[in-house]
Amino acid sequence: MSAATAARGPAHPLAHLVGTPIPGGSWRLADHENWLGHDALYSTPEQAPHPVMAFVAAQRGLGVTVAELFALWGTDMADGPMLTESSLEFPGEFRAGVDYEVSGTVESVQRKSGRTMGEFDLLTARFELAERVGAPVAVVRNVYALPRRAEQR
Amino acid sequence: MTEVGQELPDWTLDEVDAERMKVLALLLADPNPLHFDPAVAPRLGIAERPVAQGPATMAMLANLVRAAFPQGRLTRLHVRLRGSVVAGQSVRAGGRVVERGPHGPGAEKVRCELSLEAGGRTVLQGEAEVVLPV
């Protein structure tokens, strides 16, 4: 759902987040973390990072903790937020030992309901990793299911 | 030669390792104990053993593609998480080529559909794009 869709119908309680930036920060994949990342992801360590380390970079370079990120979206870790979709795109070369600026925005939010989770929001966030000068080398787009059980009580 | 319809060689793992989940939890700075404390998943009634992080299962599909195209560059990976993988399970990643075409001088782009099975269920579906030298 796009921001425009979010604006139709009853105002979504998180509609104001669509298009707003996530705090952001910077992160460098250290050589030892590169090695550990390969090993943790069942891959033979090599100089080039495992592609999924771009996900790690986005999460580590957010400028806030994971718990703080979900709190920004009105969700407590204890509520059980879940990753439901993820995409990694590499318009450039993602490397270890390079400082990357991490930026992010909320792309969309959509209220849903299901048998297992009850009422929940599907929130899509987009993160970019870029060197200080230049285009993004990696784009991470995640969709999270954020339970809203408390709102049903 | 890569052809549309071609099956990728399976990527398999005999046993998902709880110790690797702990390392990944540190790398991700992910405080969710579901991934490292063996008492939590049973207590919540989710599973008998720790649950692998989404990026861990996503990596298994990336590993499949990287093994199938060692000369290629993964330019896109998209996954939909449909279920959980827990420590001790065996997994099988598979896929097939669904599209190929030119990608600038001296290269082609291949698109593949992918899936990951664990415990007799498809727990992850996705697709990947790889740029290959020709």
Side-chain angles (χ1 to χ4, degrees), chain A residues 39 41 50 60 84 86 88, chain B residues 17 20 27 63 77 79 81:
Chain A
D39 192 61
L41 298 171
H50 192 287
R60 292 279 299 279
T84 63
S86 181
L88 309 175
Chain B
D17 183 2
R20 284 180 163 86
L27 289 170
N63 292 344
L77 175 66
V79 302
L81 291 87

Side-chain angles (χ1 to χ4, degrees), chain B residues 8 61-62 64-65 77-79 94-96 112-116 124-128:
Chain B
L8 309 187
L61 293 187
L64 163 76
V65 173
L77 175 66
H78 174 250
V79 302
R96 68 187 179 95
C112 304
E113 288 180 347
L114 314 169
S115 64
L116 182 73
L124 208 63
Q125 291 176 307
E127 64 173 47

Side-chain angles (χ1 to χ4, degrees), chain A residues 3-131:
Chain A
T5 311
R8 288 200 294 265
H12 189 286
L14 296 180
H16 64 284
L17 289 178
V18 175
T20 60
I22 290 160
S26 63
W27 195 66
R28 172 199 292 236
L29 176 61
D31 288 343
H32 72 284
E33 291 178 308
N34 183 37
W35 194 100
L36 290 167
H38 275 292
D39 192 61
L41 298 171
Y42 306 95
S43 167
T44 303
E46 59 176 316
Q47 190 173 4
H50 192 287
V52 169
M53 291 306 285
F55 186 111
V56 172
Q59 188 151 304
R60 292 279 299 279
L62 285 172
V64 292
T65 67
V66 174
E68 288 167 341
L69 180 70
F70 284 121
L72 287 173
W73 298 338
T75 302
D76 191 283
M77 289 295 287
D79 294 338
M82 292 191 302
L83 179 71
T84 63
E85 282 188 46
S86 181
S87 72
L88 309 175
E89 292 178 43
F90 296 95
E93 185 187 4
F94 174 53
R95 293 175 290 162
V98 174
D99 290 316
Y100 289 110
E101 304 288 320
V102 180
S103 59
T105 54
V106 174
E107 283 196 332
S108 67
V109 60
Q110 184 178 19
R111 181 59 52 95
K112 296 274 194 179
S113 64
R115 276 186 303 179
T116 307
M117 290 185 76
E119 201 148 84
F120 63 98
D121 288 325
L122 277 182
L123 185 146
T124 302
R126 182 180 193 274
F127 307 95
E128 286 188 3
L129 275 62
E131 294 186 51

Side-chain angles (χ1 to χ4, degrees), chain B:
Chain B
M1 179 66 78
T2 304
E3 299 296 343
V4 172
Q6 180 182 325
E7 301 278 337
L8 309 187
D10 284 351
W11 183 92
T12 61
L13 183 65
D14 290 338
E15 190 173 318
V16 173
D17 183 2
E19 298 304 310
R20 284 180 163 86
M21 293 183 202
K22 295 176 185 175
V23 175
L24 189 59
L26 282 172
L27 289 170
L28 283 162
D30 182 349
N32 191 341
L34 202 57
H35 306 306
F36 55 82
D37 183 343
V40 170
R43 189 170 70 230
L44 296 177
I46 293 172
E48 291 303 310
R49 291 181 292 275
V51 178
Q53 296 92 340
T57 55
M58 188 177 191
M60 294 170 187
L61 293 187
N63 292 344
L64 163 76
V65 173
R66 293 165 73 227
F69 304 105
Q71 304 304 316
R73 191 173 89 81
L74 180 70
T75 55
R76 181 173 174 271
L77 175 66
H78 174 250
V79 302
R80 293 175 295 280
L81 291 87
R82 300 292 189 223
S84 299
V85 175
V86 302
Q89 275 188 314
S90 62
V91 298
R92 184 184 73 84
R96 68 187 179 95
V97 176
V98 293
E99 188 178 342
R100 60 177 288 226
H103 186 75
E108 68 172 356
K109 181 178 279 188
V110 172
R111 187 166 66 86
C112 304
E113 288 180 347
L114 314 169
S115 64
L116 182 73
E117 293 178 8
R121 294 182 57 215
T122 299
V123 292
L124 208 63
Q125 291 176 307
E127 64 173 47
E129 291 177 355
V130 182
V131 173
L132 299 164
V134 291

